[in-house]
Amino acid sequence: MIGRVFSRNFTRTYKHSLNSHTIQESIIRSEYAVRGAIAMKAMEIERQMETGTKFGFDKITHLNIGNPQDLGQKPISFNREVLASCLVDDPERNRMIYSSDAVDRADHYLSHINHRAAGAYSDSTGIRVVMREVKDFIEKRDGVEVNEDNIYLTNGASEGITYMLRLLIKDENDGIMIPIPQYPIYSALITRFNGKQVPYYLDEETGWRMTYEELEKAYFEATAKGVNVKALTLINPGNPTGQVMSQEDLEKVIKFAHEKRIFLLADEVYQKNIYVDKEFCSVRKALHGLGAPYSNDVELASFHSLSKGLLGECGLRGGYMELHNVNEFAHAMAYKSKAVGLCSNIIGQIGVGLLVNPPTEESVSKEVYDLYKKEEQTIFDGLKHRANLITEKLNNIEGVSCNQVEGAMYAFPKIQLPRAYCHLANTLGIQPDLKYCLDILEKTGIMIVPGSGFGQEEGTFHFRITNLVNCSLEMERALDMIGEFTEDIMSQYRYKGVETVKLPHEPILDSEYQTI
């Protein structure tokens, strides 16, 4: 894993009471690759560009993080009109600017919160009418019955994940099973809460599939070391791997959880982003389909967010968590955890309502509905085209292989780096795939994230790249630059013996940082 921490080699003074000797060790040890060394280096380059330093590129291309609107994706008009009408509670004025349907939807929300969209708290678990919309959404999607009191509106899915991991990890002996590769919020939070990571490896050769055999292997290896395995996390569609799990795969996971009596955490924020002939199946639906005893016994927390999907409203920080088969005491503790933060932000909560209750032909005018569907389809078509483009282009680069991007917003290609290049990276004290990503950033301005930040099979190297550049031509150009850079690396280091490799004059990372 990749991380950078402040050097401990300095003299402690009175005015530095908060330092690397006094900050909680678990905070120092936790890592978050998508905003780690690569992001810090990019910020340094951008500061230098602002002061007139010239590079071989005009701007940084952020292919490191799922942030669609930062890369040109336009927001859905109807949703923004509703949010604007909520912030300025003046229906007569708003109808002169926005569609009547949007103003009516805003009034629908405002009437349930005393017409205070941004200036007052809601209940800790959320705005009740939005919670009911989430309930209706899950019931319609999965054919199940949902208790709205099991729903928590959160500041993005990340907040719900944080709450659950904090509840699940009682002490340092508690373990959480996470897929490898994984989204690094899980490893970071498990470390922060002093738990144990229990990695289970996805099978790259079969399109990053999860197997029952690997789950068993990971579980027994952990328990043999005395780890108390409390929960299993799955991400569907996958991040960073982009695979889509079948209902059959999910049923195997559910049976495993039931057999081992462990909690399931279902990260399902990319459920609208599926680009192949597969349908999304939620864990809730698969659990219901299996029937008793599984549907009555297996404990589940599911997460969704309006940051991802087709809305890409990352900055609104809206999401929800649904708990299922969780006992009353655990519910009370979840509520207490949520209540400490009072409530998630109101505009984000309303955004969740718009996520789960979009306009329909029956609810809005034909003009509003047609525009909504056109904007949504345009976003989806662009994501699908670029997903296919990434798969095709990366597989044409020497030394790079990439599974088909079935869903989500990412690809996780494998790269075979020359031995001499790896030796140079090791001599510098960093992972070879981190060096590759830092080098490509400095040469081209393209930000991608090393696979070592997500976890990978020992002896392999990967990187994660997003398919979010809104202009397909710009995406194609970025992929071509990655190809040219990689071919240069292969050509330069392929036949070079490690004894001939010379260190660069300056280290890649600032000297005040160290890698861990």
Side-chain angles (χ1 to χ4, degrees), residues 2-9 20 25 28 31 37 428-430 434 509-516:
I2 299 301
R4 302 211 293 174
V5 298
F6 202 84
S7 171
R8 297 169 186 260
N9 298 320
S20 62
E25 187 66 26
I28 297 172
E31 304 163 357
L428 292 167
I430 62 176
L434 173 58
L509 296 181
D510 296 337
S511 58
E512 65 181 0
Y513 291 91
Q514 60 185 34
T515 56
I516 56 175

Side-chain angles (χ1 to χ4, degrees), residues 77-349:
S77 299
F78 177 80
N79 292 0
R80 285 300 179 86
E81 289 183 5
V82 173
L83 297 175
S85 297
C86 286
L87 285 169
V88 181
D89 184 17
D90 185 346
E92 184 176 343
R93 168 199 172 275
N94 291 338
R95 289 182 197 282
M96 297 173 61
I97 305 172
Y98 309 123
S99 69
S100 293
D101 292 313
V103 179
D104 289 344
R105 175 68 78 90
D107 191 59
H108 162 71
Y109 292 126
L110 290 170
S111 66
H112 287 84
I113 53 176
N114 296 322
H115 291 266
R116 293 181 176 88
Y121 295 127
S122 71
D123 292 339
S124 293
T125 52
I127 301 170
R128 184 60 59 172
V129 67
V130 176
M131 294 165 64
R132 290 187 188 124
E133 289 179 317
V134 173
K135 161 187 158 69
D136 293 344
F137 167 76
I138 298 171
E139 289 181 340
K140 181 179 179 181
R141 183 193 66 189
D142 298 338
V144 299
E145 291 186 7
V146 176
N147 182 346
E148 68 187 64
D149 290 331
N150 293 345
I151 293 163
Y152 294 73
L153 301 184
T154 56
N155 287 310
S158 301
E159 187 177 63
I161 293 165
T162 303
Y163 289 142
M164 291 312 303
L165 289 176
R166 186 183 288 124
L167 290 175
L168 284 161
I169 300 171
K170 181 180 180 182
D171 57 45
E172 62 184 14
N173 198 46
D174 288 339
I176 308 295
M177 298 183 70
I178 55 174
I180 298 297
Q182 52 103 26
Y183 180 52
I185 189 175
Y186 293 100
S187 56
L189 289 174
I190 292 168
T191 299
R192 183 178 296 181
F193 299 144
N194 288 311
K196 292 284 195 307
Q197 299 174 38
V198 180
Y200 64 89
Y201 286 82
L202 304 178
D203 185 4
E204 185 169 10
E205 298 303 314
T206 59
W208 299 112
R209 288 198 65 186
M210 174 192 292
T211 66
Y212 193 92
E213 293 74 22
E214 175 60 22
L215 294 179
E216 288 272 9
K217 177 174 177 285
Y219 179 86
F220 284 118
E221 285 181 355
T223 55
K225 296 175 183 177
V227 176
N228 178 27
V229 180
K230 298 280 287 290
L232 182 150
T233 297
L234 60 88
I235 307 172
N236 181 39
N239 176 8
T241 45
Q243 87 284 8
V244 178
M245 297 179 69
S246 67
Q247 184 164 343
E248 181 183 3
D249 291 334
L250 295 174
E251 288 173 353
K252 291 177 182 177
V253 177
I254 290 167
K255 291 177 180 178
F256 175 84
H258 185 264
E259 178 186 338
K260 303 298 189 284
R261 299 182 64 83
I262 58 178
F263 203 104
L264 278 182
L265 301 171
D267 184 333
E268 300 172 333
V269 302
Y270 299 100
Q271 58 190 262
K272 290 276 283 187
N273 300 63
I274 298 179
Y275 316 121
V276 295
D277 188 21
K278 291 185 177 182
E279 290 187 4
F280 170 75
C281 178
S282 70
V283 177
R284 186 79 155 85
K285 181 178 180 179
L287 187 59
H288 177 72
L290 281 173
Y294 309 103
S295 58
N296 297 328
D297 295 343
V298 175
E299 298 163 279
L300 170 68
S302 303
F303 310 99
H304 196 11
S305 167
L306 58 91
S307 299
K308 310 305 178 185
L310 302 183
L311 300 188
E313 295 281 15
C314 301
L316 294 186
R317 307 309 301 135
Y320 74 76
M321 170 177 73
E322 188 217 1
L323 300 183
H324 182 60
N325 287 334
V326 176
N327 72 24
E328 290 185 9
F329 180 78
H331 259 300
M333 295 304 100
Y335 179 84
K336 186 198 307 188
S337 298
K338 190 74 174 68
V340 168
L342 298 176
C343 70
S344 57
N345 80 87
I346 299 299
I347 293 301
Q349 291 189 47

Side-chain angles (χ1 to χ4, degrees), residues 15-65:
K15 61 182 181 180
H16 290 118
S17 58
L18 187 63
N19 58 57
S20 62
H21 296 282
T22 62
I23 292 173
Q24 185 180 7
E25 187 66 26
S26 64
I27 299 290
I28 297 172
R29 288 188 290 110
S30 64
E31 304 163 357
Y32 188 59
V34 295
R35 291 187 185 270
I38 301 296
M40 296 179 74
K41 188 65 180 180
M43 287 190 290
E44 178 188 323
I45 290 173
E46 286 177 325
R47 285 195 297 268
Q48 290 178 9
M49 293 175 76
E50 289 173 0
T51 59
T53 303
K54 299 296 183 184
F55 290 84
F57 45 87
D58 298 326
K59 65 175 183 177
I60 299 293
T61 303
H62 295 262
L63 300 181
N64 63 311
I65 194 167

Side-chain angles (χ1 to χ4, degrees), residues 369-388:
Y369 178 76
D370 287 348
L371 177 60
Y372 186 94
K373 297 305 290 185
K374 178 183 177 182
E375 291 177 336
E376 188 180 54
Q377 191 66 44
T378 297
I379 293 170
F380 178 83
D381 289 345
L383 289 166
K384 180 178 180 179
H385 173 73
R386 295 189 297 274
N388 292 332

